[in-house]
Amino acid sequence: MGSKDRIARLKEETRINILKAALEIVQTEGWQALSMRKIADAIEYTAPIIYEYFANKEAIILELTRQGYLKLSKQLTEAKAQHTSPAKQLEDMWLTYWSFAFANKELYQIMFGINANCSCEMVNKLPEADCPWDIIADSIGKLMKIEDMESEVICTKYYTFWSVVHGLVSINFLDRGNSDEVNRQVLRDAVTGIIRSITP
Amino acid sequence: MGSKDRIARLKEETRINILKAALEIVQTEGWQALSMRKIADAIEYTAPIIYEYFANKEAIILELTRQGYLKLSKQLTEAKAQHTSPAKQLEDMWLTYWSFAFANKELYQIMFGINANCSCEMVNKLPEADCPWDIIADSIGKLMKIEDMESEVICTKYYTFWSVVHGLVSINFLDRGNSDEVNRQVLRDAVTGIIRSITP
DNA sequence: TAGATTATTTAACAGTGTTAAGCAAATGTA
DNA sequence: TACATTTGCTTAACACTGTTAAATAATCTA
């Protein structure tokens, strides 16, 4: 009766294929081009079988969003691990965040974008665990020498960082910004500026 | 032959009605609910009529976006007129920008949002005139005592302001932020901080 | 009033997300 | 082996979407 395992493995495989196909379509043709039939074509099935793996289209997008958070969190953790000083950690992490945004433009859109259409309150449906918050907030806490991780101060400072970085990312997505080099420098200046301002 | 004027006036009226209906739908049901047939219902016509006034759905959204920029520009100009000091002008204008974002959430989404779906590069199709840029940049120039309005410096500082404010707006749209009062204070602090940092 | 224009609608096409019904192949049971 | 049952998958359909072309209704002109 070990065949149960085999078919379970195959099922898991096509589930992954669905997500892979969806991401592929989105990254090459944009979000507006993502359709169930197009995904089905890519995985060489017909549309209805997708509903055996996901409740609906939104569930697929939600899962992609979740994977986006997971991916970002992983990159942030790696960046953090390369330094011991909280200040350097923060600097590297926000640069990593910046790079992630441009390397995964479409994912960033659903993760942090103000979506006019479709998946509106995606983020609220996600488990807290996949959130980059904890990873960064930890360094902020250490830098400011605050024990209580639930402190309002950390929260506020996190938003200060985030709003600046996300704002810069948004500008560049709307392609109203300067050159990549200039913006990277603006970002670095802004981040180090905030770090200096919150260092006791 | 004065009837020409009358029918022209009527045509203009239904054009306005289409836009009004579209905005109404969007503000009550969200962007994903906006459809040509729903607009037609609202103005008591059938869908194809709309195509005599707008090339397609995107053209309607684009016009709404344009009106959004116009509205914001007007409010910024009013706020600016209430002060003579460039510093106070900037402070008031960015608070106005902030208020506009929340009073016109849906408009703000298409104006400055990173739209995953639909109208992607809307903003690039708009006339420069309706852009809030000039109004704000002027005050930045006066504050920094820079004559040349095309200066890179002004541009950079504008983005510094904008990224912070837009970032904070985004946080609140994703509803991950603090209370309204707290955020307004964070905004005020950030804006006055930047003003101080660029005052010669 | 007859003819020409204009205004408006109906019908249709290709596409969307989604569900229900049907079929075919694999499996379990006797 | 023969039958019954479950499973995997497809076809067909529904109610939508944006958009276009053809048909009709209303108006204006002569």
Side-chain angles (χ1 to χ4, degrees):
Chain A
M1 202 62 68
S3 64
K4 274 276 184 226
D5 290 21
R6 197 197 69 235
I7 70 147
R9 218 160 44 230
L10 283 178
K11 280 215 149 214
E12 183 56 25
E13 197 174 318
T14 73
R15 202 190 113 95
I16 290 169
N17 283 340
I18 290 171
L19 292 167
K20 212 188 305 187
L23 189 57
E24 173 78 18
I25 293 165
V26 166
Q27 285 176 338
T28 56
E29 304 178 64
W31 282 105
Q32 91 288 134
L34 183 66
S35 82
M36 299 301 257
R37 286 175 176 85
K38 211 174 266 184
I39 295 173
D41 267 14
I43 63 169
E44 293 178 301
Y45 277 109
T46 48
I49 69 128
I50 302 178
Y51 291 86
E52 310 229 332
Y53 299 86
F54 295 94
N56 47 33
K57 188 182 176 182
E58 188 169 324
I60 298 176
I61 298 175
L62 184 64
E63 177 59 21
L64 287 179
T65 310
R66 209 185 61 83
Q67 290 188 1
Y69 277 100
L70 233 52
K71 189 173 178 179
L72 174 57
S73 294
K74 206 175 145 216
Q75 292 187 12
L76 289 177
T77 305
E78 284 172 12
K80 190 179 179 179
Q82 293 184 335
H83 309 89
T84 49
S85 130
K88 285 234 181 290
Q89 284 176 346
L90 282 169
E91 199 182 322
D92 201 343
M93 280 193 285
W94 284 114
L95 279 168
T96 302
Y97 180 100
W98 172 268
S99 299
F100 175 90
F102 292 96
N104 307 82
K105 187 169 178 173
E106 293 77 20
L107 281 183
Y108 191 89
Q109 285 178 344
I110 40 168
M111 288 165 67
F112 300 107
I114 303 172
N115 308 52
N117 228 328
C118 86
S119 52
C120 288
E121 256 79 46
M122 287 264 109
V123 192
N124 302 334
K125 297 175 188 167
L126 286 171
E128 298 274 337
D130 308 334
C131 187
W133 201 96
D134 300 308
I135 304 163
I136 295 176
D138 168 70
S139 289
I140 297 178
K142 288 211 175 91
L143 177 65
M144 300 182 76
K145 298 200 161 66
I146 295 176
E147 308 287 336
D148 177 23
M149 273 308 159
E150 309 293 319
S151 164
E152 277 279 331
V153 184
I154 295 181
C155 185
T156 303
K157 296 310 174 189
Y158 175 79
Y159 287 153
T160 307
F161 274 110
W162 187 81
S163 71
V164 170
V165 180
H166 173 70
L168 277 171
V169 170
S170 297
I171 285 180
N172 284 272
F173 275 16
L174 293 173
D175 106 341
R176 292 263 207 73
N178 317 97
S179 76
D180 277 13
E181 269 312 305
V182 174
N183 273 313
R184 219 182 161 78
Q185 194 52 49
V186 171
L187 171 75
R188 200 184 292 268
D189 287 351
V191 170
T192 53
I194 300 174
I195 291 174
R196 230 194 334 267
S197 81
I198 66 174
T199 305
Chain B
M1 198 67 67
S3 64
K4 274 276 183 228
D5 290 21
R6 198 197 67 235
I7 71 149
R9 217 162 43 233
L10 282 177
K11 279 214 148 213
E12 182 56 26
E13 198 174 317
T14 73
R15 201 190 114 94
I16 291 170
N17 283 341
I18 290 170
L19 292 168
K20 212 188 305 185
L23 189 58
E24 173 79 17
I25 292 165
V26 166
Q27 285 176 339
T28 57
E29 304 178 63
W31 282 107
Q32 92 288 131
L34 183 65
S35 82
M36 299 301 257
R37 285 173 176 85
K38 210 174 264 184
I39 295 173
D41 267 13
I43 62 169
E44 292 179 303
Y45 277 108
T46 48
I49 269 287
I50 304 177
Y51 290 84
E52 309 230 332
Y53 298 88
F54 296 94
N56 47 35
K57 188 182 174 182
E58 189 169 323
I60 298 175
I61 298 175
L62 185 63
E63 177 59 21
L64 287 179
T65 310
R66 209 185 61 83
Q67 291 187 1
Y69 277 100
L70 233 52
K71 189 173 179 180
L72 174 57
S73 293
K74 205 175 145 218
Q75 292 187 12
L76 289 177
T77 306
E78 283 172 13
K80 190 179 178 178
Q82 293 183 335
H83 309 90
T84 49
S85 133
K88 284 234 180 289
Q89 285 175 345
L90 282 170
E91 198 182 323
D92 202 342
M93 280 193 284
W94 284 114
L95 279 168
T96 302
Y97 180 99
W98 172 268
S99 299
F100 175 89
F102 292 95
N104 307 82
K105 185 168 179 174
E106 292 78 19
L107 281 183
Y108 192 89
Q109 285 179 343
I110 41 168
M111 288 166 67
F112 300 106
I114 302 173
N115 308 53
N117 227 329
C118 87
S119 54
C120 289
E121 257 78 45
M122 287 264 110
V123 192
N124 302 334
K125 297 177 188 166
L126 286 171
E128 298 274 337
D130 308 333
C131 187
W133 202 95
D134 301 309
I135 304 163
I136 294 176
D138 169 70
S139 289
I140 297 178
K142 290 214 175 86
L143 177 64
M144 300 182 76
K145 299 200 161 65
I146 295 176
E147 308 286 336
D148 178 23
M149 273 306 159
E150 309 294 320
S151 164
E152 275 280 330
V153 184
I154 295 180
C155 185
T156 303
K157 296 310 174 190
Y158 175 79
Y159 287 153
T160 306
F161 273 111
W162 187 80
S163 69
V164 170
V165 180
H166 173 70
L168 277 171
V169 171
S170 297
I171 285 179
N172 283 273
F173 275 17
L174 293 171
D175 106 338
R176 291 265 208 73
N178 318 97
S179 76
D180 277 14
E181 270 311 306
V182 173
N183 273 313
R184 218 180 162 78
Q185 193 52 48
V186 171
L187 171 75
R188 201 184 291 268
D189 287 350
V191 170
T192 53
I194 300 174
I195 292 175
R196 230 195 333 267
S197 79
I198 68 174
T199 305

